[in-house]
Amino acid sequence: MIDPTESKRMGDDDEDDAGASSETAAGSAAGAGSAAGAGSATGAAAGAGSSSGAAAGAGRRADEIDAPTVERIRAFLVDRDIESTLADGHTFVVQLPGENRLKTACHLTVARESVRIEAFVCRRPDEDFEKVYRYLLRRNRRLYQVAYTLDNNGDIYLVGRMPLIAVTDEELDRVLGQVLEAADHDFNIIIETGFHTAIRREWKWRVSRGESLRNLEAFRHLTEDLPQPE
């Protein structure tokens, strides 16, 4: 079974396409959602690690990056002991530990006027695309500051933008908390809807070889008609 969680970033073409389309969706989600459901990144990610040092800035000119915002985000992550790295002088890669999805990498990219939020959730479903995408569109109505979108391959991401004036400790906590809550809550639903044939095939193969089923236990209900372990 191909790992649908292998982390990746959207390509430049995808980012341009998604930026134009999903920014509107994210704005709509922000208006419709509520911070109460977003949760807190601090409690979930505390103790996961600490920020590492910055690499030399590359890709963007210094005048295209708001340095005070970079420092504000860095201080927030260090203060809350959230595992992160500063990849290129303006993109923080924040590791958010969950339960269903063990870790979600959320990229916070600082530009001159806004901070782009991006988190890979799952690769393109194998089947039942319409059911998966319908679920994600409906889910967007309840999300805060981010929204689900697809890249050119059909892989699933959470994306959004924050104006620099909104980059406060409280708002960063809400947004990262929402990314974590969405990715962790929706992950099993996406997997069992879009990969149920692969799950059944993997279950049958592991049972035949006496392999561990630990990471498939959440999907046992999809295998009731298949051989079960002794």
Side-chain angles (χ1 to χ4, degrees), residues 41-52:
T42 303
S50 60
S51 294
S52 64

Side-chain angles (χ1 to χ4, degrees), residues 64-110:
E64 294 180 328
I65 303 169
D66 188 75
T69 300
V70 171
E71 177 56 28
R72 191 177 308 126
I73 295 174
R74 186 201 66 78
F76 166 82
L77 296 170
V78 170
D79 183 61
R80 284 157 177 76
D81 199 24
I82 299 175
E83 180 184 359
S84 66
T85 56
L86 183 55
D88 52 12
H90 67 100
T91 298
F92 291 90
V93 184
V94 183
Q95 302 294 339
L96 302 173
E99 296 180 4
N100 298 322
R101 196 178 196 283
L102 297 183
K103 188 172 287 189
T104 297
C106 181
H107 294 75
L108 302 176
T109 302
V110 181

